[in-house]
Structures are given as C-alpha cells and as structure tokens.
Amino acid sequence: MADDYRRQGFELERRIFELDIKCSSLRAEKQDDDYLQNASAILDKLKSYYRQGGESSNLSKLLQDYTQVILDITFYEENKLVDQEFPEDCSPFKIQQLLQDLTEPEVMAGRLAPAQEVQSVLGLELLECLYWRRGALLYMYCHTLHQRKQWIKKNKDTFLKCIQEGVRYLMRMLQVRNSVKLNDGVVLHDPATASFLSEGIFSDTHLLTMMYIGEMCFWAVKYEDCSADTMERKEDRLQFRDIGTQILNKYVLACEGPLQGQGWNTENAKEILSILQ
C-alpha cells in the first residue's frame, strides 16, 4: 500500500512538471496573461517543493495548488476557443481535452486520499469551480452550435449529448454545498439570506448556473421533440423539461424577490418557462 501511495505521489509530481512545460509554451504565445502568470508562480513553488525532496505532509494543500494551476491554464485555453468562436474542425477534440484536464484533480484526489471525501481534500470552492468550468464550457460551446442550424441538422445527437453532459456538470455544481435547512438550529436574521441559503443559492455564480441550465434544457427540448430516439436509451436521459422548469422557477423567484433591483433580468427565463411548462 505504501508503494502504491508513493507511485501515485510520483504521478502527481510528474504531472506538475508536465504542466510547467505546457504553461511555458502557452506563455510564449501571451507572456502577460494574468492566469498563465498565476499558474507559473504556483508551479515554481511546487517545483521547488519537489526539488527539496518535500514529503506530502500537507497533501490537501498540494492538491489544491495543483488544481488551481489546471484551472488557470485551462481558462486561458478556453478563452482562445471562445475568441475563435469554436472552430468546427478542432473544437470537439479540444473540448474533450479540457474536460479531461478539469476532471483530473478529482481523480487524483481520490487516488491520493482515498479515505477522505474529495470535497474535504480540494475544498468546496475549488470543487464547485471544477464543475462550473466544465458545465460553462459546454454551455458556451452549445450556445455557439445553437446558431449553426445546418450543423445541428447533421449532428443533432452530438449536440444533445453535449447539452446533457453540460447540464449534469452544472447540476453537480449546485449540489456541492448542501442547502441550509432553516430548522436545523440555524439562526439567520436576514430573511433574504435565509431564502437564498435554503434554496442552495450561495453566490452570483449559482444564479448564473441556474440560467445556463434553463437555457440548455430549452435547447434540448426544442431538438429532442423532432429527433429520433438515438441519443441514448430514453430512461438514461435527463428530464430536460422538468429540470428546466424547476430551476428557472427558482431563478425567477430569487431575482424578483430578494434580488429585485440588483440587475438580474428574468425576461428570458420567463419566456423559456412559457414554452417548457
């Protein structure tokens, strides 16, 4: 067992040095990118740690730093894809690579700390970010594809699979933190805060996630209705209409209730709800 742990520790060390090579290559493209600069600074610290023969006494911190490097590097790569409007020839491969990279920290944490929950190793915020980034990437990709009507006619099943995968990631993001149950001895003097926490809304990103899920569910319903049942077995599919309706109703209640006047628009959400319901 000790040998397995040591081997997996070497795997993390090897991966860190691989990421350093990749980061250096990307910085040659854009030296002043803030995210790559941050990744490079963290990598320098991690390399120094390994070169000094450090033991993984604080494995959680080591994995968190490694996760932040991946988040920063992939953010730069995602922005390139968005700026290029997701080229048809290379985007599917690049997106799968990004999704794989953003899944890697969870896998590594599970291997190196099998006795602990991943969220206790990486922390709630990083784990949420990993799900958010994967879901948001697929949302942006599907948003672009949604405007390519001819492409969708030929690749409808691929489009629906991307939507399903994206919705799953975004739903997982919303589930990382348990909603606060107000009858569990929790005393909150601000009714608006109490309402948010009881619905599992902890930040602006959670609200944006709800809107993304609603839009993707709308696209899925629109194209499922006229699609042959070839995407996958029907019982394995998400219930897009029900999920979109439930999520967007929560979004509208939050934006027109406690967040009224804070700049959150509900027109698109209401329009989608009128179709889904």
Short mmCIF file of all heavy atoms in Angstrom, two decimals, residues 60 63-64 105-111 113-124 127 130-131:
data_model
loop_
_atom_site.label_atom_id
_atom_site.label_comp_id
_atom_site.label_asym_id
_atom_site.label_seq_id
_atom_site.Cartn_x
_atom_site.Cartn_y
_atom_site.Cartn_z
N SER A 60 -3.43 17.94 1.07
CA SER A 60 -4.57 18.73 0.63
C SER A 60 -4.11 20.03 -0.02
O SER A 60 -4.59 20.40 -1.10
CB SER A 60 -5.49 19.02 1.82
OG SER A 60 -6.63 19.75 1.40
N LEU A 63 -2.56 19.38 -3.45
CA LEU A 63 -3.57 19.10 -4.48
C LEU A 63 -4.37 20.35 -4.83
O LEU A 63 -4.78 20.54 -5.98
CB LEU A 63 -4.51 17.99 -4.00
CG LEU A 63 -3.91 16.58 -4.03
CD1 LEU A 63 -4.78 15.61 -3.24
CD2 LEU A 63 -3.74 16.10 -5.47
N GLN A 64 -4.60 21.22 -3.86
CA GLN A 64 -5.30 22.46 -4.14
C GLN A 64 -4.49 23.37 -5.05
O GLN A 64 -5.03 23.99 -5.98
CB GLN A 64 -5.64 23.17 -2.83
CG GLN A 64 -6.75 22.49 -2.03
CD GLN A 64 -6.89 23.05 -0.63
OE1 GLN A 64 -6.34 24.10 -0.30
NE2 GLN A 64 -7.66 22.36 0.21
N PRO A 105 -8.18 16.69 -11.32
CA PRO A 105 -7.98 16.89 -9.88
C PRO A 105 -8.83 15.99 -9.00
O PRO A 105 -8.37 15.50 -7.96
CB PRO A 105 -8.34 18.37 -9.69
CG PRO A 105 -8.03 19.00 -11.01
CD PRO A 105 -8.43 17.97 -12.02
N GLU A 106 -10.08 15.77 -9.39
CA GLU A 106 -10.95 14.87 -8.62
C GLU A 106 -10.38 13.46 -8.61
O GLU A 106 -10.37 12.79 -7.57
CB GLU A 106 -12.34 14.83 -9.26
CG GLU A 106 -13.24 15.98 -8.93
CD GLU A 106 -14.60 15.76 -9.54
OE1 GLU A 106 -15.45 15.14 -8.88
OE2 GLU A 106 -14.81 16.20 -10.68
N VAL A 107 -9.93 13.01 -9.77
CA VAL A 107 -9.38 11.66 -9.89
C VAL A 107 -8.13 11.54 -9.04
O VAL A 107 -7.96 10.56 -8.29
CB VAL A 107 -9.08 11.33 -11.36
CG1 VAL A 107 -8.38 9.98 -11.47
CG2 VAL A 107 -10.35 11.35 -12.20
N MET A 108 -7.25 12.53 -9.12
CA MET A 108 -6.01 12.50 -8.36
C MET A 108 -6.27 12.53 -6.86
O MET A 108 -5.62 11.81 -6.09
CB MET A 108 -5.12 13.67 -8.78
CG MET A 108 -3.68 13.55 -8.34
SD MET A 108 -2.76 12.30 -9.28
CE MET A 108 -2.46 13.17 -10.82
N ALA A 109 -7.21 13.36 -6.43
CA ALA A 109 -7.55 13.43 -5.01
C ALA A 109 -8.10 12.10 -4.51
O ALA A 109 -7.78 11.66 -3.40
CB ALA A 109 -8.57 14.56 -4.77
N GLY A 110 -8.92 11.45 -5.35
CA GLY A 110 -9.46 10.15 -4.97
C GLY A 110 -8.39 9.09 -4.83
O GLY A 110 -8.47 8.20 -3.97
N ARG A 111 -7.37 9.16 -5.66
CA ARG A 111 -6.28 8.19 -5.60
C ARG A 111 -5.36 8.42 -4.41
O ARG A 111 -4.95 7.48 -3.72
CB ARG A 111 -5.45 8.26 -6.88
CG ARG A 111 -6.11 7.69 -8.12
CD ARG A 111 -5.20 7.86 -9.31
NE ARG A 111 -5.81 7.44 -10.56
CZ ARG A 111 -5.31 7.70 -11.75
NH1 ARG A 111 -4.19 8.41 -11.86
NH2 ARG A 111 -5.92 7.28 -12.85
N ALA A 113 -5.90 10.35 -1.67
CA ALA A 113 -6.54 10.44 -0.36
C ALA A 113 -7.84 9.64 -0.37
O ALA A 113 -8.93 10.19 -0.21
CB ALA A 113 -6.80 11.90 0.00
N PRO A 114 -7.75 8.33 -0.56
CA PRO A 114 -8.96 7.52 -0.72
C PRO A 114 -9.85 7.47 0.52
O PRO A 114 -11.03 7.17 0.42
CB PRO A 114 -8.40 6.13 -1.05
CG PRO A 114 -7.00 6.13 -0.49
CD PRO A 114 -6.51 7.53 -0.65
N ALA A 115 -9.28 7.76 1.68
CA ALA A 115 -10.07 7.69 2.91
C ALA A 115 -10.86 8.97 3.16
O ALA A 115 -11.66 9.03 4.10
CB ALA A 115 -9.16 7.42 4.11
N GLN A 116 -10.63 10.00 2.34
CA GLN A 116 -11.31 11.27 2.54
C GLN A 116 -12.24 11.58 1.36
O GLN A 116 -12.01 11.13 0.24
CB GLN A 116 -10.29 12.41 2.66
CG GLN A 116 -9.31 12.26 3.80
CD GLN A 116 -8.33 13.43 3.83
OE1 GLN A 116 -8.74 14.59 3.96
NE2 GLN A 116 -7.05 13.15 3.71
N GLU A 117 -13.27 12.37 1.63
CA GLU A 117 -14.13 12.84 0.55
C GLU A 117 -13.36 13.87 -0.27
O GLU A 117 -12.59 14.66 0.27
CB GLU A 117 -15.40 13.48 1.11
CG GLU A 117 -16.34 12.48 1.78
CD GLU A 117 -17.65 13.12 2.19
OE1 GLU A 117 -17.82 14.34 1.91
OE2 GLU A 117 -18.48 12.43 2.77
N VAL A 118 -13.60 13.85 -1.58
CA VAL A 118 -12.89 14.77 -2.47
C VAL A 118 -13.10 16.22 -2.05
O VAL A 118 -12.18 17.03 -2.07
CB VAL A 118 -13.34 14.56 -3.93
CG1 VAL A 118 -12.76 15.64 -4.83
CG2 VAL A 118 -12.90 13.19 -4.42
N GLN A 119 -14.32 16.56 -1.63
CA GLN A 119 -14.59 17.95 -1.27
C GLN A 119 -13.83 18.39 -0.03
O GLN A 119 -13.50 19.57 0.13
CB GLN A 119 -16.08 18.18 -1.08
CG GLN A 119 -16.71 17.49 0.12
CD GLN A 119 -18.19 17.77 0.19
OE1 GLN A 119 -18.89 17.78 -0.82
NE2 GLN A 119 -18.70 18.00 1.38
N SER A 120 -13.49 17.45 0.86
CA SER A 120 -12.71 17.81 2.03
C SER A 120 -11.24 17.96 1.69
O SER A 120 -10.50 18.66 2.38
CB SER A 120 -12.89 16.78 3.15
OG SER A 120 -12.31 15.53 2.78
N VAL A 121 -10.80 17.33 0.61
CA VAL A 121 -9.40 17.44 0.17
C VAL A 121 -9.20 18.72 -0.64
O VAL A 121 -8.29 19.51 -0.38
CB VAL A 121 -8.99 16.21 -0.68
CG1 VAL A 121 -7.56 16.37 -1.19
CG2 VAL A 121 -9.11 14.93 0.15
N LEU A 122 -10.06 18.93 -1.63
CA LEU A 122 -9.90 20.09 -2.52
C LEU A 122 -10.56 21.34 -1.97
O LEU A 122 -10.17 22.46 -2.32
CB LEU A 122 -10.49 19.77 -3.90
CG LEU A 122 -9.83 18.63 -4.68
CD1 LEU A 122 -10.51 18.47 -6.03
CD2 LEU A 122 -8.35 18.87 -4.86
N GLY A 123 -11.56 21.17 -1.12
CA GLY A 123 -12.33 22.31 -0.63
C GLY A 123 -13.55 22.55 -1.49
O GLY A 123 -13.56 22.25 -2.69
N LEU A 124 -14.59 23.11 -0.89
CA LEU A 124 -15.86 23.30 -1.59
C LEU A 124 -15.73 24.23 -2.79
O LEU A 124 -16.28 23.97 -3.86
CB LEU A 124 -16.91 23.86 -0.63
CG LEU A 124 -17.36 22.92 0.50
CD1 LEU A 124 -18.30 23.67 1.44
CD2 LEU A 124 -18.05 21.69 -0.07
N LEU A 127 -13.91 22.59 -5.80
CA LEU A 127 -14.73 21.54 -6.39
C LEU A 127 -15.89 22.14 -7.17
O LEU A 127 -16.20 21.71 -8.28
CB LEU A 127 -15.25 20.59 -5.30
CG LEU A 127 -15.95 19.33 -5.80
CD1 LEU A 127 -15.06 18.50 -6.71
CD2 LEU A 127 -16.43 18.48 -4.62
N LEU A 130 -14.55 23.44 -10.45
CA LEU A 130 -14.27 22.39 -11.44
C LEU A 130 -15.54 21.98 -12.18
O LEU A 130 -15.53 21.80 -13.40
CB LEU A 130 -13.64 21.17 -10.77
CG LEU A 130 -12.20 21.35 -10.28
CD1 LEU A 130 -11.80 20.18 -9.38
CD2 LEU A 130 -11.24 21.46 -11.46
N TYR A 131 -16.65 21.85 -11.45
CA TYR A 131 -17.93 21.51 -12.10
C TYR A 131 -18.45 22.68 -12.92
O TYR A 131 -18.93 22.51 -14.04
CB TYR A 131 -18.98 21.10 -11.05
CG TYR A 131 -18.76 19.73 -10.47
CD1 TYR A 131 -18.68 19.54 -9.09
CD2 TYR A 131 -18.63 18.62 -11.29
CE1 TYR A 131 -18.48 18.28 -8.55
CE2 TYR A 131 -18.43 17.36 -10.76
CZ TYR A 131 -18.36 17.19 -9.38
OH TYR A 131 -18.15 15.94 -8.86
#
